[in-house]
Amino acid sequence: MSTLRASTPSAATHQGAGRYAPSPSGELHLGNLRTALVAWLFARSTGRRFLVRVEDLDRARDAGTAGAQLADLRALGIDWDGDPVLQTDSGEAHEAAIAQLASAGLVYECTCTRKDILAAPTAPHAPPGAYPGTCRDLTDAERAAARARIAPRLPALRLRAPEGESRLAFDDALLGRTEGDIDDLVLKRGDGTVAYNLAVVVDDAAMGVDQIVRGDDLASSTPRQILLQRLLGLPTPPEVSYAHVPLVLGPTGARLAKRDGAVTLSDLWAAGMASADVLAMLAGSLGLAGAEERVTASQLVSRFDPAALPREPWVWRPASA
């Protein structure tokens, strides 16, 4: 794990922690870096530890990318406490959580494909793509037949969401009161990979994370995660606070992507920008620095005020646009 060695931990002891949890699927782009900066500022401005977790559960992830991602964070002045954690190292804890839910009768096998789910009739007012409960109440014989039909593929495992838990609201530091739907979410995929919602809940609790700052594209997952927290006996709001950061959009108004040009730190370096220039640009997009004002990450901590953060996406336009 030498490529994942962190900077020197702070000597101070803090209660609670914030975190940044990138997936090693490629270089971090401006949207990822901006969210990481906001998460770091939330933690540092409230005296929390700041932790990094590499979410490498998906087998398609490139573990070698993680080191480059961490180097990009360091280049902007974002530091962290202790060593980064690999999510794949927590497999036993993930399996124990699924076993705990299963022992309470809250897990069932599902053989549905994505195509099956989209084609199935859904309950009135259910959101698009919500699981319709096709495999929820199968008999043992029906379940065995379904398992035989998909062999050698294995069934996924789903949460049997308790009755009356189809919708849940939470308070978000940036979005305000937010409400979302809950369905019988996947806990473990048929290929054996533990699902994001289960893993993130278990990992955050194990790491002592009580402040979760991430992109607002993940806000819809939060009600599901809060339900899992409750069912597993883990801390829930208000013990855990949430802040979902508006995304960065490209010049066309679509979500920022590689097609938009120089959007990664290495791209911007190649285009002649220094790390300090990139940090200044991100700080300006958050209302924390004036035009072309050079700042350090540590200087931004005293300026940081969550109430003054933009509530709308930042539209990034390259200098040539």
Side-chain angles (χ1 to χ4, degrees):
M1 195 168 157
S2 60
T3 59
L4 299 179
R5 183 60 81 183
S7 56
T8 303
S10 167
T13 300
H14 305 297
Q15 294 296 318
R19 50 75 159 175
Y20 183 60
S23 297
S25 55
E27 291 183 80
L28 300 177
H29 60 56
L30 285 171
N32 307 132
L33 295 169
R34 185 173 184 262
T35 298
L37 177 61
V38 175
W40 182 83
L41 289 169
F42 260 100
R44 293 302 188 216
S45 66
T46 54
R48 286 176 167 84
R49 294 171 296 134
F50 186 68
L51 309 176
V52 172
R53 180 175 68 243
V54 179
E55 300 198 328
D56 60 340
L57 282 180
D58 195 313
R59 294 174 185 175
R61 305 301 189 207
D62 178 6
T65 303
Q69 293 179 334
L70 299 180
D72 284 353
L73 297 180
R74 288 194 195 96
L76 295 182
I78 296 173
D79 62 353
W80 49 88
D81 300 290
D83 287 340
V85 173
L86 291 176
Q87 198 167 48
T88 47
D89 288 343
S90 300
E92 289 186 9
H94 300 156
E95 294 294 342
I98 294 174
Q100 180 181 338
L101 295 170
S103 68
L106 296 174
V107 178
Y108 64 91
E109 292 182 354
C110 175
T111 57
C112 295
T113 64
R114 186 170 300 176
K115 183 177 179 181
D116 294 334
I117 295 169
L118 293 175
T122 57
H125 312 300
Y131 184 66
T134 307
C135 296
R136 192 179 222 262
D137 297 314
L138 298 181
T139 64
D140 289 344
E142 289 170 333
R143 209 173 296 285
R147 202 181 300 127
R149 275 197 307 274
I150 67 167
R153 181 167 64 89
L154 296 175
L157 299 180
R158 285 189 181 271
L159 175 73
R160 186 184 299 275
E163 296 296 327
E165 297 283 6
S166 62
R167 197 160 178 81
L168 187 148
F170 64 99
D171 291 313
D172 189 276
L174 300 179
L175 302 180
R177 189 70 171 170
T178 303
E179 193 170 2
D181 296 291
I182 301 171
D183 60 359
D184 286 2
L185 59 134
V186 171
L187 300 172
K188 189 176 185 180
R189 299 193 321 226
D191 65 1
T193 303
V194 173
Y196 166 78
N197 284 308
L198 186 282
V200 73
V201 162
V202 172
D203 296 343
D204 281 340
M207 295 171 72
V209 172
D210 65 350
Q211 182 187 70
I212 298 173
V213 181
R214 55 193 177 194
D216 66 5
D217 56 325
L218 294 173
S220 62
S221 297
T222 303
R224 297 182 178 96
Q225 293 169 20
I226 293 173
L227 175 61
L228 284 172
Q229 290 166 347
R230 290 178 181 174
L231 297 176
L232 291 168
L234 303 176
T236 62
E239 295 176 83
V240 180
S241 63
Y242 291 90
H244 287 88
V245 183
L247 299 180
V248 177
L249 306 181
T252 65
R255 184 172 174 170
L256 189 68
K258 285 286 287 182
R259 64 176 178 271
D260 295 313
V263 297
T264 67
L265 201 53
S266 61
D267 290 337
L268 293 166
W269 286 337
M273 291 186 72
S275 299
D277 299 321
V278 178
L279 178 62
M281 179 171 60
L282 295 176
S285 78
L286 297 166
L288 298 174
E292 300 183 14
E293 180 187 3
R294 285 296 188 99
V295 291
T296 64
S298 59
Q299 286 174 329
L300 297 177
V301 175
S302 61
R303 303 182 184 187
F304 185 67
D305 177 8
L309 288 175
R311 265 50 175 183
E312 299 298 324
W314 175 46
V315 179
W316 176 81
R317 292 182 174 84
S320 58

